């Protein structure tokens, strides 16, 4: 992939890839701030800010209106590590995108009314997703069970509703000026736009945005777990559910790719181990899934499922541990490993056909390393061996490295 890069004097990193197969242009801005950067008594701010960024900037009272007039679309998302904003716009109107994104990076139109509106939206989202939905509070139970000191111990949406309800305008302003800065962001531009035009528009609109004093991140390191963590919760839900989490490495660790492959071997498609054995053949689970958190700091490998009728949570957990023991006791067969690698490669190739996906991925890779890593991902997965999977499984799938949540239906 032909990638162009430039860093502006104010610290903004620009990444570009031209795609002549479309008449659209995508702008993706990723800010290096997520829920892990919040204070334990003031959580949910990164997610609140995702909403505030659409409430009007210092010179543009309505973000959506001019973009819609230009034929554009936009959205955003937040997780524990980053906050990501993107838009797409037809090539002739691309400057509208640069104007809008640069202005809200410069300064938001901070006022009590905007805060109240977005606070209400976020609080309603919290209620719908976490309080009024079956199994909605799993993250609020499992995260603090697995993490004791690292800020991954609370979900992106926040630890509790009161943190958002009590957020003040001064706290919101402080959060913005600490993290929303050109020197804390990556702008990726893809689609039907030349490198020269991209540089011209970026310098015109983003260069005037001042560099800010972004605090040095100093997060507490999660200590090595030495005993199994367990919790039983009873809720008004239709079925019992099992949630298990094992500590794994950070995204920068070479073993990260082994963990991702292990989760796919366990649960990616109907022929995966957990689905084939425990859902289809033995009928122990009605549904079962395994996945990794994909976080930048040391994360979790999750296994979750709902036992079939008549199967206890104890029986279900024992069945899962038996499957994990198979990974610990014997090497994965070459054919099974190759199938998982092939599936990842095809997903990667097809995903990077879309110009917007490329913009999002380039911004992420540049933030966490360098944009060129996008072309190395397949090789990173291809290099994982059965012996490496075996070692990682033995180190990981131990009771004293696990957090187990029994989520029971109330009698």
């Amino acid at each position: 992939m032909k990638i162009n890069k430039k860093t502006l004097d104010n610290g903004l990193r620009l990444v570009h890839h031209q795609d002549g197969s479309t008449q659209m242009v995508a702008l993706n801005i990723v800010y290096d701030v997520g829920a892990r950067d919040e204070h334990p008594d003031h959580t949910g701010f990164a997610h609140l800010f995702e909403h505030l960024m659409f409430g009007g900037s210092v010179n543009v009272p309505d973000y959506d209106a001019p973009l819609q007039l230009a034929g554009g679309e936009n959205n955003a998302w937040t997780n524990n590590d980053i906050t990501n904003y993107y838009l797409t716009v037809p090539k002739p109107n691309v400057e509208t995108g640069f104007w809008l994104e640069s202005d809200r990076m410069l300064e938001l139109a901070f006022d009590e009314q905007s805060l109240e509106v977005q606070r209400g939206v976020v609080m309603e989202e919290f209620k719908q997703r976490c309080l009024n939905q079956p199994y909605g509070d799993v993250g609020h139970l499992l995260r603090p069970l697995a993490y004791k000191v690292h800020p991954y111990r609370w979900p992106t949406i926040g630890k509790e509703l009161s943190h958002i309800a009590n957020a003040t305008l001064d706290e919101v302003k402080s959060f913005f000026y600490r993290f929303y800065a050109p020197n804390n962001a990556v702008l990726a531009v893809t689609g039907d736009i030349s490198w020269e035009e991209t540089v011209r528009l970026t310098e015109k609109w983003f260069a005037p945005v001042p560099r800010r004093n972004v605090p040095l991140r100093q997060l507490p390191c999660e200590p090595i777990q030495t005993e199994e963590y367990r919790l039983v919760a009873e809720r008004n839900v239709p079925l019992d559910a099992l949630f298990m989490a094992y500590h794994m490495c950070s995204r920068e660790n070479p073993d990260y790719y082994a963990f991702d492959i292990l989760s796919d071997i366990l649960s990616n498609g109907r022929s995966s181990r957990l689905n084939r054995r425990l859902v289809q053949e033995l009928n122990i689970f009605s549904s079962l899934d395994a996945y990794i958190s994909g976080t930048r700091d040391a994360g979790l490998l999750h296994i979750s499922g709902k036992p079939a009728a008549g199967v206890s949570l104890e029986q279900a957990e024992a069945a899962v541990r038996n499957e994990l023991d198979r990974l610990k006791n014997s090497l994965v067969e070459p054919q099974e490993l190759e199938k998982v690698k092939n599936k990842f490669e095809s997903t990667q190739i097809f995903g990077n056909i879309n110009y917007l996906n490329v913009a999002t991925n380039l911004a992420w890779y540049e933030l966490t390393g360098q944009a060129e890593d996008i072309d190395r991902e397949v090789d990173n997965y291809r290099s994982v061996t059965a012996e490496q999977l075996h070692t990682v499984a033995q180190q990981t799938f131990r009771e004293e490295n696990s957090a187990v949540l029994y989520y029971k239906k109330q009698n």
Side-chain angles (χ1 to χ4, degrees):
M1 187 178 295
K2 169 67 172 162
I3 298 171
N4 302 299
K5 298 198 299 186
K6 178 183 177 67
T7 301
L8 274 60
D9 291 341
N10 60 9
L12 178 66
R13 285 177 278 173
L14 171 65
V15 186
H16 166 266
H17 171 69
Q18 187 168 2
D19 182 356
S21 67
T22 177
Q23 297 182 35
M24 302 290 289
V25 177
L27 275 70
N28 190 103
I29 295 186
V30 58
Y31 288 92
D32 191 3
V33 56
R36 66 173 178 166
D37 297 299
E38 298 164 345
H39 188 279
D41 298 327
H42 299 275
T43 63
F45 270 67
H47 178 243
L48 173 63
F49 241 94
E50 175 200 321
H51 288 260
L52 285 170
M53 287 285 277
F54 293 95
S57 58
V58 61
N59 296 309
V60 186
D62 186 345
Y63 175 91
D64 287 323
L67 186 63
Q68 290 170 358
L69 287 172
E73 297 180 347
N74 69 88
N75 213 328
W77 47 267
T78 314
N79 62 28
N80 284 84
D81 294 321
I82 61 171
T83 310
N84 193 82
Y85 302 87
Y86 63 88
L87 65 84
T88 58
V89 67
K91 177 185 177 180
N93 301 331
V94 66
E95 189 161 4
T96 299
F98 284 85
W99 163 55
L100 290 172
E101 289 299 336
S102 63
D103 203 67
R104 64 179 180 176
M105 179 186 283
L106 174 66
E107 186 179 356
L108 295 186
F110 294 108
D111 61 65
E112 292 288 353
Q113 181 181 358
S114 176
L115 176 58
E116 279 305 310
V117 170
Q118 299 306 328
R119 189 210 315 271
V121 171
V122 172
M123 290 176 65
E124 188 61 31
E125 184 179 343
F126 190 109
K127 293 174 185 176
Q128 289 182 358
R129 285 171 49 187
C130 305
L131 303 180
N132 302 328
Q133 182 173 292
Y135 315 101
D137 63 344
V138 168
H140 288 86
L141 298 172
L142 189 59
R143 282 178 176 271
L145 185 64
Y147 290 102
K148 302 307 177 185
V149 301
H150 193 281
Y152 286 161
R153 66 186 184 273
W154 58 80
T156 303
I157 201 165
K159 190 189 297 186
E160 55 187 71
L161 200 58
S162 63
H163 289 183
I164 299 301
N166 297 330
T168 68
L169 193 59
D170 285 341
E171 289 171 337
V172 165
K173 286 182 179 180
S174 174
F175 193 87
F176 178 85
Y177 288 117
R178 269 186 294 153
F179 297 111
Y180 278 76
N183 47 310
N184 201 42
V186 175
L187 167 63
V189 182
T190 60
D192 192 14
I193 184 171
S194 69
W195 171 234
E196 292 74 20
E197 180 70 355
T198 300
V199 171
R200 184 185 73 82
L201 291 173
T202 303
E203 290 183 335
K204 175 181 177 180
W205 290 105
F206 284 92
V209 180
R211 174 188 289 266
R212 296 189 175 115
N213 293 322
V214 178
L216 182 66
R217 182 177 285 117
Q218 294 179 310
L219 301 181
C221 184
E222 185 68 24
I224 295 175
Q225 185 176 333
T226 57
E227 61 178 315
E228 182 184 53
Y229 301 142
R230 284 188 167 269
L231 179 66
V232 178
E234 291 191 1
R235 298 288 189 272
N236 182 22
V237 293
L239 298 167
D240 289 351
L242 172 67
F243 298 90
M244 304 171 67
Y246 290 88
H247 284 278
M248 58 171 282
C249 65
S250 69
R251 197 177 180 95
E252 296 176 353
N253 192 300
D255 281 338
Y256 173 85
Y257 304 98
F259 277 102
D260 203 4
I261 287 179
L262 281 173
S263 70
D264 282 354
I265 288 172
L266 289 170
S267 178
N268 187 348
R270 287 183 55 82
S271 63
S272 61
R273 292 191 179 192
L274 295 182
N275 282 298
R276 188 181 72 251
R277 287 273 298 162
L278 304 188
V279 177
Q280 299 170 39
E281 295 176 6
L282 300 179
N283 195 31
I284 293 176
F285 283 86
S286 59
S287 63
L288 190 56
D289 191 20
Y291 60 94
I292 61 172
S293 56
T295 50
R296 294 178 70 181
D297 294 335
L300 298 173
L301 187 151
H302 294 266
I303 299 173
S304 60
K306 297 180 176 64
V311 178
S312 70
L313 286 169
E314 290 79 7
Q315 291 170 321
E317 181 189 352
V320 170
R321 291 197 186 273
N322 283 338
E323 290 302 313
L324 299 181
D325 285 342
R326 291 179 59 208
L327 286 171
K328 291 166 60 177
N329 297 331
S330 59
L331 295 178
V332 174
E333 293 293 329
Q335 184 179 0
E336 185 179 18
L337 180 54
E338 186 66 18
K339 180 185 70 174
V340 169
K341 290 179 178 180
N342 289 342
K343 184 175 287 188
F344 172 81
E345 183 170 358
S346 65
T347 301
Q348 183 83 350
I349 291 171
F350 282 112
N352 284 330
I353 289 175
N354 180 277
Y355 71 103
L356 175 56
N357 289 349
V358 172
T360 303
N361 290 335
L362 285 178
W364 164 255
Y365 284 117
E366 182 65 19
L367 182 74
T368 57
Q370 51 184 339
E372 291 80 3
D373 291 339
I374 193 172
D375 285 329
R376 304 185 184 111
E377 280 294 88
V378 170
D379 290 339
N380 289 332
Y381 281 88
R382 286 282 178 200
S383 67
V384 174
T385 65
E387 289 76 16
Q388 184 183 4
L389 292 176
H390 186 232
T391 300
V392 169
Q394 289 182 322
Q395 294 172 345
T396 305
F397 298 132
R398 299 173 290 109
E399 286 191 10
E400 62 270 25
N401 188 46
S402 65
V404 181
L405 169 63
Y406 280 10
Y407 203 100
K408 291 188 173 183
K409 174 184 176 182
Q410 285 180 338
N411 295 323

